[in-house]
């Protein structure tokens, strides 16, 4: 069972192909070299904006993960790109419970085949269902405050430094978002998967 569910689509954008198409030029696809890496079509820090943010009309779904301390969260990850990604959530253990729309259980014995990991590898076209339990809220170590309240922050990100930068940017970007852990009872129950609170 889980308390909160978050669908996250991993992708990448190769601007050369877009620019060539716009200028009616040929693209050699064997030269594929994406320059933007996305979560739900957004790059960090836009991944933190709430669902339906007016500044991102074409990427309405946020990648922000908001949970109460003690909540069990389910991340439903799918890789829509052409490259393998290695996702990490330092400070919170992840349990892989499903792979490619299949529960990780033995068909013959019913044995639990789920496993704990600190790095989640997702190849092109693959999907993973990952559970985590939000740690206790540490009142002496608040990471930030938003319109909901004070929270502890954990970074959910790609392990590759190349995939954590936006072209021309000098700070964190790309395939990263935050898991914000609020004191128990702060957030109301989700009414839809991926719900954000403002």
């Amino acid at each position: 069972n889980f308390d909160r569910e978050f669908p996250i689509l991993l992708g990448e954008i190769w601007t050369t192909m877009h620019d060539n198409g716009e200028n009616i030029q040929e693209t050699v696809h064997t030269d594929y070299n994406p320059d933007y890496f996305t979560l739900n079509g957004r790059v960090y820090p836009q991944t933190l904006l709430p669902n339906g943010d007016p500044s991102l009309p074409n990427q309405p779904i946020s990648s922000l993960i908001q949970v109460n301390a003690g909540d069990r969260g389910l991340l439903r990850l799918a890789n829509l790109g052409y490259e393998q990604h290695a996702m990490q959530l330092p400070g919170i253990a992840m349990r892989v419970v499903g792979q490619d729309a299949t529960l990780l259980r033995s068909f013959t014995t019913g044995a639990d085949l789920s496993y704990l990991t600190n790095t989640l590898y997702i190849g092109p076209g693959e999907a993973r269902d990952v559970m985590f339990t939000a740690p206790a809220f540490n009142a002496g170590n608040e990471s930030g405050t938003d319109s909901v309240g004070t929270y502890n922050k954990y970074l959910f990100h790609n392990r590759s430094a190349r995939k954590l930068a936006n072209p021309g940017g000098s700070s964190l970007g790309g395939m990263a978002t935050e898991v914000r852990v609020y004191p128990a009872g702060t957030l109301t129950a989700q009414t839809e998967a991926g719900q954000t609170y403002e």
Side-chain angles (χ1 to χ4, degrees):
N1 293 329
F2 55 88
D3 301 299
R4 300 181 188 279
E5 179 180 9
F6 303 92
I8 299 180
L9 304 177
L10 287 68
E12 63 246 11
I13 299 168
W14 185 29
T15 56
T16 299
M17 184 173 67
H18 171 271
D19 295 345
N20 285 351
E22 185 178 59
N23 295 315
I24 314 172
Q25 299 296 312
E26 181 181 358
T27 300
V28 179
H29 291 277
T30 55
D31 293 339
Y32 185 71
N33 186 22
D35 30 22
Y36 287 94
F37 297 89
T38 65
L39 299 175
N40 292 342
R42 300 177 178 191
V43 295
Y44 187 88
Q46 288 82 13
T47 54
L48 306 179
L49 296 174
N51 288 336
D53 188 275
S55 68
L56 296 167
N58 297 318
Q59 291 88 25
I61 307 301
S62 180
S63 302
L64 178 61
I65 301 164
Q66 295 173 291
V67 294
N68 291 321
D71 279 353
R72 289 177 52 114
L74 173 64
L75 304 178
R76 292 192 180 271
L77 301 152
N79 184 354
L80 304 182
Y82 296 104
E83 294 193 353
Q84 179 177 12
H85 298 292
M87 301 300 293
Q88 295 183 321
L89 181 55
I92 301 178
M94 297 184 290
R95 176 170 293 280
V96 180
V97 297
Q99 180 170 307
D100 299 331
T102 302
L103 185 63
L104 288 178
R105 290 207 188 278
S106 169
F107 290 116
T108 54
T109 66
D112 181 7
L113 302 176
S114 67
Y115 58 93
L116 285 172
T117 187
N118 61 7
T119 303
L120 181 65
Y121 295 95
I122 308 175
E126 293 183 338
R128 301 284 186 276
D129 292 324
V130 180
M131 300 277 299
F132 70 91
T133 300
F137 178 76
N138 185 344
N141 192 28
E142 297 92 347
S143 301
T145 303
D146 58 17
S147 60
V148 177
T150 302
Y151 58 85
N152 297 142
K153 175 176 72 176
Y154 298 84
L155 194 64
F156 181 59
H157 63 90
N158 197 303
R159 186 175 74 176
S160 169
R162 175 177 175 262
K163 297 174 181 178
L164 291 175
N166 299 328
S170 59
S171 59
L172 180 63
M175 200 174 270
T177 190
E178 294 176 3
V179 175
R180 293 182 180 175
V181 179
Y182 299 87
T186 301
L187 302 175
T188 59
Q190 275 187 338
T191 57
E192 61 187 37
Q195 180 175 346
T196 54
Y197 299 83
E198 297 181 62

